[in-house]
Amino acid sequence: MFRFSVLIACFLVQYSSILMAQSAAKKFTLVIHGGAGVITRANLSSEREQEYHRALDSALRIGYAILEQGGTSMNAVEKVVNYLEDNPLFNAGIGAVYTADGTHELDAAIMDGKTLAAGAVAAVKRIKNPISLARLVMEKSEHVMLIGEGAEKFAQTQNITLVPNTLFDTPARKRALERIQQEEREQATKDSIKQDSIRKANLKKRSASDKHGTVGAVALDIHGNLAAATSTGGMTNKRFGRVGDAPIIGAGTYANNGSCAVSATGWGEYFIRTVVAHDVAALVEYKGLSVQSAGQEVINKVGKLGGDGGMIILDTKGNFSMPFNSEGMYRGVITQENKPTTAIFK
Ligand code: ASP
């Protein structure tokens, strides 16, 4: 009898440790954003708000399906960003903002936290899903970043069909461009007698309310690997040829299993100057800060310079944070527990 109970006890111990190992191995997390700064409570109707929640929720479920099956964090962030690029609600792919000369120029980057391999494209005009081209740059070229025409020529060698730039048109973004250009014309007349500093202050006000947007994802897969991806149309009324932070490795996008994965959104010039994504990773790696403290410290730095926006950060333990200094940031999280949560305001 005694031997029998010992046997049963051994069996139970072993069985529960197998179960524990399985559930530990199944741990994964996906964090996404759909841009910061476009939105104030006042200018977002409740129907529109629901549309955003639904879209973020769908994006999370796409990533969940991949990660749950044991798929890689690289595949998850790419596919999630593909969905957001195709969704006209967000400023990336279809629904991208307009440049000052009425076209769209798209930037994107992806990074693998396991190998530190990275790929990026900037100012591409005829690529439906820039994040997938960024991944091809990483995997199929000897370079990290390709821009404009060169990136598009490379795309053709990878059997990617070029699309007309008008594919990215949406009436809402067109109206935003017209509004900003009209304001700028009015301002220019007034500014002819004002100083430069006042003009800059006006530009800042506009930036917060009208110009931003980007999509991004960071993921941790069951193999313990991190990845980050960011894709954007940039900022409304940008000069053609302007490149933001999203495709700059270390500014808008970064991933390293030794620290964390980061995808940023906001006024790109400030995020480049403060090298946001790598700064966060460096604080985590060298100073041992949590993703919360590191993110807060860096977003404060951006704010002090005059920039606004936010970011999503995730480490290999599944700790994440989503700091932002704008009124809102479209964002969401899902883990192996399959409880998607989405949020827009603070
Ligand atoms: N960071 C993007 C850019 O400057 C825009 C944004 O995220 O709002 O291009």
Side-chain angles (χ1 to χ4, degrees), residues 36 91 107 212-214 232 234-235 242 244-246 264-269:
N91 172 19
D107 298 340
H212 292 236
T214 281
T232 187
M235 291 173 79
R242 177 266 189 189
D245 59 313
T265 170
W267 196 345
E269 278 68 13

Side-chain angles (χ1 to χ4, degrees), residues 33-314:
H33 72 78
V38 204
I39 3 119
T40 58
R41 273 185 202 278
N43 71 15
L44 191 67
S45 69
S46 71
E47 298 87 76
R48 194 83 171 151
E49 200 174 323
Q50 287 320 307
E51 272 183 66
Y52 275 104
H53 280 293
R54 274 197 298 274
L56 292 168
D57 191 78
S58 304
L60 289 173
R61 288 174 196 282
I62 289 168
Y64 177 89
I66 295 168
L67 295 167
E68 208 271 327
Q69 295 292 310
T72 63
S73 51
M74 284 293 285
N75 283 347
V77 295
E78 181 189 357
K79 296 298 173 229
V80 164
V81 167
N82 282 160
Y83 169 79
L84 296 167
E85 286 174 334
D86 291 343
N87 189 321
L89 286 176
F90 302 98
N91 172 19
I94 296 163
V97 298
Y98 287 80
T99 62
D101 59 353
T103 60
H104 309 275
E105 293 188 354
L106 314 176
D107 298 340
I110 191 163
M111 185 158 180
D112 183 344
K114 183 180 166 195
T115 59
L116 300 189
V121 293
V124 291
K125 290 180 152 193
R126 293 181 297 164
I127 304 296
K128 180 170 164 281
N129 292 108
I131 200 68
S132 297
L133 183 58
R135 187 165 180 184
L136 286 168
V137 170
M138 175 188 131
E139 289 175 349
K140 301 283 165 68
S141 85
E142 64 273 37
H143 304 298
V144 168
M145 182 185 246
L146 293 176
I147 63 163
E149 233 180 279
E152 288 169 3
K153 284 217 170 107
F154 169 72
Q156 287 175 294
T157 69
Q158 301 300 313
N159 298 321
I160 290 190
T161 315
L162 301 185
V163 297
N165 192 248
T166 49
L167 178 76
F168 307 114
D169 287 354
T170 50
R173 301 291 186 202
K174 187 84 187 179
R175 284 195 297 274
L177 176 71
E178 285 162 0
R179 191 168 58 239
I180 285 174
Q181 291 189 332
Q182 175 64 23
E183 279 169 20
E184 238 169 46
R185 276 190 295 273
E186 286 164 12
Q187 205 57 52
T189 331
K190 289 187 207 151
D191 280 355
S192 52
I193 42 167
K194 279 186 194 166
Q195 291 127 14
D196 205 40
S197 59
I198 302 172
R199 199 161 52 226
K200 276 197 186 137
N202 285 330
L203 191 77
K204 186 176 163 194
K205 255 190 269 154
R206 266 201 311 276
S207 155
S209 62
D210 247 333
K211 291 185 156 185
H212 292 236
T214 281
V215 306
V218 290
L220 168 69
D221 61 30
I222 64 166
H223 317 289
N225 295 318
L226 292 169
T230 315
S231 183
T232 187
M235 291 173 79
T236 304
N237 203 32
K238 66 184 181 183
R239 267 178 191 278
F240 80 89
R242 177 266 189 189
V243 174
D245 59 313
I248 312 272
I249 299 303
T253 307
Y254 196 71
N256 181 349
N257 282 359
S259 51
C260 56
V262 184
S263 170
T265 170
W267 196 345
E269 278 68 13
Y270 289 91
F271 281 67
I272 294 173
R273 290 165 59 201
T274 43
V275 205
V276 163
H278 188 265
D279 213 27
V280 170
L283 287 172
V284 171
E285 185 174 357
Y286 303 129
K287 256 190 155 181
L289 293 199
S290 66
V291 291
Q292 281 80 13
S293 316
Q296 202 49 56
E297 186 154 339
V298 175
I299 202 68
N300 291 347
K301 209 170 175 184
V302 171
K304 272 191 206 132
L305 264 188
D308 63 326
M311 67 189 106
I312 50 175
I313 315 165
L314 173 66

